Amino acid sequence: QVQLVESGGGSVQPGGSLRLSCAVSGVNLNHIGIGWFRQAPGKEREGVSCLSSNGNIYYADSVKGRFTISRDNAKKTVYLQMNNLNPEDTAVYYCAADRRRYVGSAIQAMCLPSRPEWWGQGTQVTVSS
């Protein structure tokens, strides 16, 4: 059974940084894509960044240049490094997994909230002064 466990959330001031981690078990990390999604109060869940099994990466426009997704296969962990955070980044962040293969620009589709098959429980990120 695939399990995803997020950690690393917390409270930070604007301009600060956090690194989220997603520990993956029950599946070979090389064989799945992993995405980070977020949901702010009163808003729909949105894709933030996705990393396909073949290495394609997608970032939402709102986080380009500030967030970096990466994967450590040996540790079975996917990370989301978040820099220069602002209050609009406040949300519950979820990691999610998808077995399908996305090639080239199709990686954007992987970051649709309807696509992932498995979800973590979420971790809260709060950015405020």
Side-chain angles (χ1 to χ4, degrees):
Q1 183 176 356
V2 177
Q3 288 190 320
L4 309 170
V5 180
E6 303 97 333
S7 61
S11 296
V12 65
Q13 292 185 340
S17 298
L18 285 173
R19 188 178 77 159
L20 305 182
S21 299
C22 176
V24 182
S25 61
V27 66
N28 188 325
L29 191 55
N30 287 315
H31 297 164
I32 60 170
I34 294 286
W36 285 97
F37 297 77
R38 67 186 181 186
Q39 188 165 17
K43 295 187 177 181
E44 294 186 353
R45 191 170 297 186
E46 62 175 354
V48 175
S49 180
C50 289
L51 173 61
S52 71
S53 58
N54 57 337
N56 294 117
I57 294 176
Y58 166 83
Y59 293 103
D61 288 343
S62 59
V63 306
K64 279 181 182 176
R66 301 188 299 122
F67 290 12
T68 303
I69 192 170
S70 62
R71 179 174 65 197
D72 187 328
N73 291 335
K75 294 184 177 180
K76 297 184 179 181
T77 301
V78 177
Y79 303 98
L80 184 69
Q81 177 66 43
M82 305 186 296
N83 297 329
N84 193 21
L85 287 160
N86 59 61
E88 290 70 37
D89 296 316
T90 295
V92 177
Y93 283 71
Y94 301 88
C95 69
D98 189 338
R99 283 177 293 185
R100 286 165 288 202
R101 185 177 176 88
Y102 294 86
V103 179
S105 60
I107 182 66
Q108 185 172 355
M110 183 185 163
C111 255
L112 294 173
S114 60
R115 287 300 183 105
E117 300 167 83
W118 303 283
W119 291 85
Q121 82 287 352
T123 186
Q124 176 71 46
V125 171
T126 302
V127 185
S128 69
S129 54

